[in-house]
C-alpha cells in the first residue's frame, strides 16, 4: 500500500471540526500507521476596507473539502468515511480517487505552504461604476467613478474629472474610499 492524498467532502464551514474529529478518531482507533496527514487548504487574503484600511485574514481555498494523506484499506476508509461531518470521498461511483502529485502541488502551492513564503491575495469591495473619493496622493479630494478593478495588482482605474474633462487615473486600493 502507498500513502496518497485523498479529498474528503465535508459540510461547508465544518472543515476545522472535521480535522479535529479525524485526529481524535485516528488516535482512538490506532490508525496512526494508516492516516498520515490532514490539510485544509487556505490562503492569506488582504481585504481593503473603508478608508483604505488593510485587513488580512485566512480564507479556505476550497470550502467544504479537506485533504487526507492515507493508506487506503477497509479499516481506514470506514474510519474516515464515518467521521462526523464527512459526507464522503471525492471520486467516481463512491470510489475514492487519489490526487496526483501535480494536483496536490497545485492546491498546496496556491496556499504558499509548500514554498514557505506567504502568498497574499488582495480583495476589495470596489466595483466598476461605483463612485469614489480619492483620499491620498496628488488627486486627494477629487471624486471619480471606478472604470476597472485589478485585485491582483491592488490597483483601481478611476475616471476623474480634471478641468472639466474625464481623465483615467490608476490608483492603489488604499488611495480611494467609497462615497
Amino acid at each position: 500500500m502507498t500513502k496518497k492524498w485523498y479529498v474528503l467532502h465535508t459540510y461547508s464551514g465544518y472543515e476545522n471540526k472535521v480535522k479535529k474529529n479525524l485526529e481524535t478518531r485516528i488516535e482512538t482507533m490506532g490508525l496512526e500507521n494508516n492516516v498520515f496527514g490532514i490539510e485544509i487548504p487556505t490562503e492569506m487574503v488582504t481585504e481593503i476596507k473603508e478608508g483604505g484600511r488593510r485587513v488580512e485574514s485566512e480564507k479556505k481555498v476550497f470550502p467544504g473539502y479537506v485533504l487526507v494523506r492515507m493508506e487506503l484499506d477497509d479499516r481506514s476508509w470506514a474510519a474516515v468515511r464515518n467521521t462526523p461531518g464527512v459526507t464522503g470521498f471525492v471520486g467516481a461511483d463512491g470510489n475514492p480517487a487519489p490526487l496526483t502529485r501535480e494536483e496536490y502541488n497545485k492546491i498546496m502551492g496556491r496556499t504558499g505552504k509548500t514554498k514557505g513564503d506567504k502568498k497574499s491575495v488582495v480583495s476589495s469591495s470596489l466595483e466598476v461604476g461605483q463612485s469614489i473619493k480619492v483620499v491620498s496622493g496628488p488627486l486627494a479630494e477629487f471624486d471619480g467613478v471606478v472604470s476597472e478593478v485589478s485585485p491582483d495588482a491592488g490597483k483601481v482605474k478611476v475616471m476623474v474629472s480634471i478641468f472639466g474633462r474625464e481623465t483615467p487615473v490608476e490608483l492603489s486600493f488604499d488611495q480611494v474610499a467609497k462615497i
Side-chain angles (χ1 to χ4, degrees):
M1 284 299 231
T2 56
K3 306 170 203 166
K4 295 195 178 195
W5 284 99
Y6 294 90
V7 181
L8 296 179
H9 191 269
T10 68
Y11 295 120
S12 193
Y14 284 78
E15 300 87 358
N16 293 332
K17 192 175 206 89
V18 165
K19 182 177 180 179
K20 201 171 294 278
N21 287 343
L22 266 172
E23 289 166 346
T24 305
R25 206 170 165 95
I26 290 162
E27 198 175 313
T28 58
M29 295 178 81
L31 291 171
E32 293 90 347
N33 294 331
N34 295 74
V35 182
F36 306 97
I38 304 163
E39 293 280 349
I40 302 169
T42 59
E43 64 187 354
M44 290 306 292
V45 176
T46 304
E47 291 185 71
I48 309 297
K49 298 289 186 184
E50 285 297 317
R53 217 178 63 234
R54 290 178 174 263
V55 178
E56 283 208 355
S57 61
E58 200 171 28
K59 299 262 194 241
K60 291 176 180 67
V61 177
F62 300 111
Y65 294 94
V66 174
L67 305 181
V68 178
R69 186 169 188 221
M70 59 190 281
E71 283 184 4
L72 193 65
D73 60 22
D74 291 341
R75 199 164 148 245
S76 63
W77 177 87
V80 171
R81 173 67 185 89
N82 296 318
T83 299
V86 174
T87 58
F89 281 88
V90 172
D93 302 323
N95 296 323
L99 291 174
T100 64
R101 172 57 58 195
E102 292 77 30
E103 290 170 326
Y104 175 78
N105 288 342
K106 190 173 178 184
I107 290 168
M108 297 314 287
R110 182 170 175 187
T111 67
K113 288 183 182 171
T114 54
K115 297 181 185 96
D117 62 339
K118 288 216 172 183
K119 205 162 146 188
S120 186
V121 174
V122 176
S123 117
S124 170
S125 57
L126 294 172
E127 296 172 6
V128 173
Q130 191 169 42
S131 295
I132 58 93
K133 177 184 247 2
V134 181
V135 293
S136 67
L139 299 173
E141 301 306 313
F142 276 86
D143 292 344
V145 176
V146 176
S147 64
E148 191 179 313
V149 180
S150 304
D152 296 341
K155 303 260 184 210
V156 64
K157 236 182 214 153
V158 179
M159 296 302 282
V160 179
S161 181
I162 302 175
F163 306 120
R165 294 178 64 185
E166 291 289 309
T167 307
V169 180
E170 190 174 86
L171 301 165
S172 61
F173 286 157
D174 59 354
Q175 288 182 288
V176 298
K178 288 186 214 174
I179 294 180

